[in-house]
Amino acid sequence: MFFTSLTEWTPGNLLLRMVVSFVLGALIGIDRGAKKRGGGARTDAAVCLGSALVMMTAQYVGITFPGKTDITRLAAQVVSGVGFLGAGSIIVSGHQVKGLTSAASIWICACIGIATGIGFVDGAVILTLILLVGLHLLPLIEERVYYYSRYIRLYVEVRESGTVAMLLHQLKIDGCKVDMYDIERPGTQGQSFTALITVHIPWRFSKEEYLKSLGELDGILFVDTM
């Protein structure tokens, strides 16, 4: 490994660990911020640097009081405790959940900081590179896979709840397989019912044309995919 010597307790090593943890966290944060996502450079850099300090503190305690403490206990507290930051970046809007990747990146920054803080800089650097490359490649792969997927999630607005039963029946007649559905009743009179339906469409149907045909059914005010 390239940075094996960084596990030694010297002033130079400690300073280098702090700088590396700050830089790695900032790189992940800048990548998230460039996409206008949560968990920017300052947040991720601070989490990573703080986690590194926790592990250096644990190593210091182990050196100062040998055999009297377990240095992994502080690391465990960081991994579990940083979850409150991740939870703060998750936003639930209607039927959509956003911020899960940002929350995961904050948690990963804590793990990178722990690895850097104890001197396992090789693992921290490699993980950061894999993460940054993966965050850019996976959306491209997902886009291709989802394009050919026959599963779609329908957002439907109807006049009355009975129309949803009619729609589900029509889907069954067309050979579609309903995976799950959820109906939300209106809060006040005059508002429409909304339904979320995850369905598998047979290959003989074009997703765009089939969606258009559903919108022409009686009682359906609006239909689109999510």
Side-chain angles (χ1 to χ4, degrees), residues 16 20 45 68 84 139 168 217:
L16 188 55
V20 171
K68 296 183 179 180
F84 82 94
L168 294 174
L217 296 176

Side-chain angles (χ1 to χ4, degrees), residues 97-155:
V97 180
K98 300 180 180 180
L100 292 176
T101 304
S102 298
S105 71
I106 293 174
W107 181 79
I108 290 175
C109 282
C111 298
I112 292 172
I114 290 172
T116 306
I118 203 63
F120 185 35
V121 178
D122 285 310
V125 172
I126 293 172
L127 176 61
T128 301
L129 294 177
I130 292 175
L131 176 63
L132 291 176
V133 172
L135 288 177
H136 287 273
L137 287 181
L138 284 178
L140 300 178
I141 297 174
E142 284 181 328
E143 183 179 358
R144 297 293 295 177
V145 173
Y146 295 162
Y147 177 79
Y148 291 104
S149 173
R150 303 305 298 175
Y151 279 94
I152 60 174
R153 194 178 192 195
L154 299 175
Y155 173 82

Side-chain angles (χ1 to χ4, degrees), residues 2-218:
F2 296 104
F3 298 102
T4 304
S5 60
L6 287 183
T7 58
E8 299 175 1
W9 187 263
T10 64
N13 282 352
L14 297 180
L15 178 61
L16 188 55
R17 291 186 206 176
M18 293 183 185
V19 172
V20 171
S21 64
F22 183 86
V23 171
L24 295 181
L27 285 176
I28 296 174
I30 290 172
D31 179 72
R32 300 299 299 162
K35 300 175 182 178
K36 307 302 180 184
R37 308 296 189 188
R42 289 174 294 179
T43 299
D44 287 349
V47 169
C48 201
L49 184 60
S51 302
L53 180 61
V54 169
M55 284 310 296
M56 286 185 284
T57 303
Q59 186 179 10
Y60 171 78
V61 173
I63 293 173
T64 307
F65 306 100
K68 296 183 179 180
T69 183
D70 181 5
I71 64 175
T72 61
R73 298 179 69 179
L74 281 176
Q77 296 301 316
V78 171
V79 172
S80 60
V82 78
F84 82 94
L85 278 178
S89 66
I90 298 175
I91 301 174
V92 180
S93 177
H95 295 281
Q96 291 185 322
V97 180
K98 300 180 180 180
L100 292 176
T101 304
S102 298
S105 71
I106 293 174
W107 181 79
I108 290 175
C109 282
C111 298
I112 292 172
I114 290 172
T116 306
I118 203 63
F120 185 35
V121 178
D122 285 310
V125 172
I126 293 172
L127 176 61
T128 301
L129 294 177
I130 292 175
L131 176 63
L132 291 176
V133 172
L135 288 177
H136 287 273
L137 287 181
L138 284 178
L140 300 178
I141 297 174
E142 284 181 328
E143 183 179 358
R144 297 293 295 177
V145 173
Y146 295 162
Y147 177 79
Y148 291 104
S149 173
R150 303 305 298 175
Y151 279 94
I152 60 174
R153 194 178 192 195
L154 299 175
Y155 173 82
V156 186
E157 293 183 4
V158 298
R159 291 192 180 94
E160 53 188 20
S161 60
T163 307
V164 178
M166 178 271 294
L167 175 60
L168 294 174
H169 181 66
Q170 183 63 48
L171 291 172
K172 184 177 180 180
I173 292 176
D174 293 336
C176 300
K177 297 180 180 179
V178 177
D179 186 59
M180 64 177 65
Y181 67 91
D182 178 56
I183 303 175
E184 183 175 322
R185 297 183 178 275
T188 59
Q189 290 184 349
Q191 290 184 333
S192 59
F193 288 80
T194 60
L196 290 177
I197 306 174
T198 303
V199 61
H200 180 274
I201 298 177
W203 284 98
R204 67 177 183 272
F205 293 123
S206 166
K207 288 190 288 187
E208 293 77 12
E209 294 179 0
Y210 188 67
L211 186 66
K212 183 179 179 180
S213 67
L214 292 178
E216 296 173 352
L217 296 176
D218 292 337

